[in-house]
């Protein structure tokens, strides 16, 4: 597969995952606003921005502008419309590599978001808008799995999705635990219950968490579930295992060595998440651990680019 194609499939998937993640966090935040005191809105929006890795100041005058900026502001590179536009642009460059159903679904989602900018739908029905983005992204993922051969291109799509998801969950955890310090094994205060509930719902994890731990919310259990659970699709461990599996499959397709840097980095992270214990992680420093996950994710991304996208021309000629 040409590096241009791999690059476009990879980023198409990452951008769409980013749009769905942003829509989900916004939807949860807007629901929480109905249950909480208005004077806490600035702190909540600031935490949301940190959860999306957006570093900016928030004051009383700008709080009400954040939802629209994160959804329909095409000039804002961190908005949903920008992510979906970028995903569509990448898909358009590789239309011959994806199914017609994939293109139709992504194009339909793009046009639906553009219509929302002109018909004032966001102001009238913000939850419906967020739900439409989430469902559109989920439908695209299902269509991808059902209509595309699970070869090299499909693996790059999965690689982009789960590397983005791993990073997003790590940042979300870091931002939330920084906002609510204290003994992670403690009982959650009544005043904090909705905040921790919101963290789980931001990862569509509340029902799955309850099946493992019941509805008794404790910070250490939430951290363990979102970091280390082997079977939950949005946990950091599940994403890291999928990334490593995709890299191994791509190595087979491209006849490259599985001992390359990208595979080694992904395998090392996967092993750590498989054997580390939450009490040791929290005892050492949860922030440092999650920050290290993000750092290793960035290293994996760089190694992928060096091997499959921006490799020297001599390597291509030799192969």
């Amino acid at each position: 597969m040409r590096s241009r194609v791999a690059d476009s499939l990879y980023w198409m998937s990452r951008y769409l995952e980013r749009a769905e993640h942003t829509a989900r966090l916004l939807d949860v935040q807007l629901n929480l606003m109905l249950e909480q005191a208005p004077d806490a809105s600035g702190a909540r929006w600031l935490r949301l921005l940190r959860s999306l890795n957006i570093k900016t100041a928030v004051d009383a005058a700008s709080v009400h502008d954040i939802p629209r900026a994160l959804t329909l502001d095409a000039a804002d590179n961190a908005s949903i419309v920008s992510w979906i536009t970028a995903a569509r642009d990448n898909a358009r460059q590789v239309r011959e590599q994806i199914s017609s159903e994939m293109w139709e679904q992504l194009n339909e989602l793009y046009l639906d978001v553009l219509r929302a900018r002109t018909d004032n739908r966001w102001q009238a029905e913000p939850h419906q808008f967020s739900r439409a983005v989430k469902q559109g992204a989920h439908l695209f993922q299902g269509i991808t799995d059902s209509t595309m051969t699970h070869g090299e291109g499909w693996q790059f799509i999965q690689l982009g999705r789960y590397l983005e998801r791993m990073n997003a969950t790590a940042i979300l955890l870091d931002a939330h635990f920084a906002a609510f310090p204290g003994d992670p094994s403690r009982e959650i205060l009544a005043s904090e219950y909705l905040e921790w509930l919101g963290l789980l719902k931001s990862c569509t994890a509340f029902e799955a968490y309850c099946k493992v731990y019941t509805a008794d919310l404790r910070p250490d259990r939430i951290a363990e579930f979102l970091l280390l659970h082997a079977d939950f699709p949005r946990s950091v461990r599940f994403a890291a295992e999928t990334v490593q599996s995709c890299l191994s499959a791509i190595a087979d397709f491209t006849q490259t060595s599985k001992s390359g840097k990208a595979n080694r980095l992904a395998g090392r992270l996967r092993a750590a998440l498989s054997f580390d214990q939450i009490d040791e992680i929290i005892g050492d420093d949860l922030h440092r651990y999650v920050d290290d996950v993000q750092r290793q994710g960035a290293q994996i991304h760089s190694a992928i680019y060096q091997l499959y996208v921006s490799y020297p021309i001599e390597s291509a000629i030799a192969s």
Side-chain angles (χ1 to χ4, degrees):
M1 176 174 290
R2 289 175 296 176
S3 62
R4 176 189 64 82
V5 174
D7 188 42
S8 292
L9 292 173
Y10 174 81
W11 278 111
M12 174 193 72
S13 189
R14 288 200 70 156
Y15 287 141
L16 192 58
E17 179 72 18
R18 204 171 292 179
E20 191 269 344
H21 180 70
T22 303
R24 187 166 5 90
L25 265 61
L26 271 172
D27 197 35
V28 170
Q29 171 71 0
L30 292 170
N31 275 310
L32 287 177
M33 288 178 65
L34 302 175
E35 305 288 342
Q36 295 172 321
D39 57 1
S41 62
R44 291 197 304 270
W45 283 113
L46 180 58
R47 188 169 70 251
L48 173 70
L49 293 176
R50 287 174 176 167
S51 299
L52 294 170
N53 205 29
I54 300 171
K55 299 175 177 64
T56 186
V58 179
D59 53 36
S62 62
V63 160
H64 299 293
D65 297 329
I66 294 174
R68 182 171 181 84
L70 290 177
T71 52
L72 301 176
D73 188 354
D76 191 331
N77 291 332
S79 68
I80 290 172
V81 67
S82 294
W83 298 138
I84 292 177
T85 300
R88 178 181 179 272
D89 288 345
N90 277 277
R92 184 176 56 194
Q93 296 177 41
V94 289
R95 285 194 61 179
E96 72 283 358
Q97 298 292 330
I98 63 176
S99 68
S100 57
E101 292 86 355
M102 290 169 64
W103 169 253
E104 289 168 3
Q105 170 56 26
L106 186 52
N107 196 49
E108 183 177 335
L109 176 59
Y110 166 76
L111 294 174
D112 193 41
V113 170
L114 290 188
R115 284 192 293 268
R117 296 179 62 197
T118 58
D119 62 14
N120 205 32
R121 192 188 319 164
W122 162 253
Q123 295 291 341
E125 299 173 320
H127 297 294
Q128 183 174 337
F129 172 83
S130 297
R131 191 176 302 113
V133 172
K134 291 186 292 181
Q135 290 178 348
H138 295 161
L139 184 55
F140 179 83
Q141 292 167 3
I143 290 172
T144 299
D145 292 346
S146 301
T147 64
M148 189 175 182
T149 57
H150 289 202
E152 187 181 346
W154 183 85
Q155 294 291 348
F156 271 105
I157 292 174
Q158 304 305 304
L159 180 61
R161 177 191 305 169
Y162 282 98
L163 194 57
E164 181 68 31
R165 185 174 296 182
M166 181 181 76
N167 191 57
T169 302
I171 293 172
L172 181 61
L173 265 173
D174 195 23
H176 198 90
F177 273 81
F180 296 98
D183 180 8
S185 62
R186 72 187 189 279
E187 296 241 348
I188 291 175
L189 300 174
S191 60
E192 295 181 356
Y193 180 83
L194 288 176
E195 304 287 359
W196 291 100
L197 176 64
L199 172 59
L200 286 170
K201 288 193 172 183
S202 294
C203 299
T204 60
F206 177 63
E207 293 178 354
Y209 172 92
C210 289
K211 291 177 181 178
V212 177
Y213 297 109
T214 74
D216 179 24
L217 302 189
R218 278 180 25 192
D220 56 344
R221 290 178 176 177
I222 292 173
E224 181 177 42
F225 189 77
L226 294 180
L227 263 180
L228 305 178
H229 199 281
D231 301 317
F232 180 60
R234 292 194 178 274
S235 77
V236 173
R237 176 180 172 183
F238 186 98
E241 290 181 348
T242 306
V243 166
Q244 205 269 333
S245 176
C246 289
L247 286 169
S248 293
I250 292 170
D252 288 336
F253 283 116
T254 58
Q255 296 183 343
T256 54
S257 173
K258 290 187 179 181
S259 62
K261 185 176 181 180
N263 269 285
R264 290 200 318 273
L265 290 169
R268 187 181 305 156
L269 178 58
R270 176 181 184 174
L273 290 163
S274 298
F275 292 101
D276 288 344
Q277 299 295 311
I278 195 61
D279 55 341
E280 297 173 351
I281 293 171
I282 291 173
D284 290 340
D285 186 349
L286 179 62
H287 166 73
R288 184 171 60 186
Y289 188 90
V290 174
D291 192 59
D292 189 54
V293 169
Q294 296 173 55
R295 180 184 58 79
Q296 291 185 68
Q299 290 177 339
I300 293 169
H301 166 80
S302 297
I304 291 168
Y305 254 63
Q306 291 172 7
L307 183 59
Y308 296 114
V309 178
S310 58
Y311 51 80
I313 187 62
E314 292 82 6
S315 300
I317 294 174
S319 61

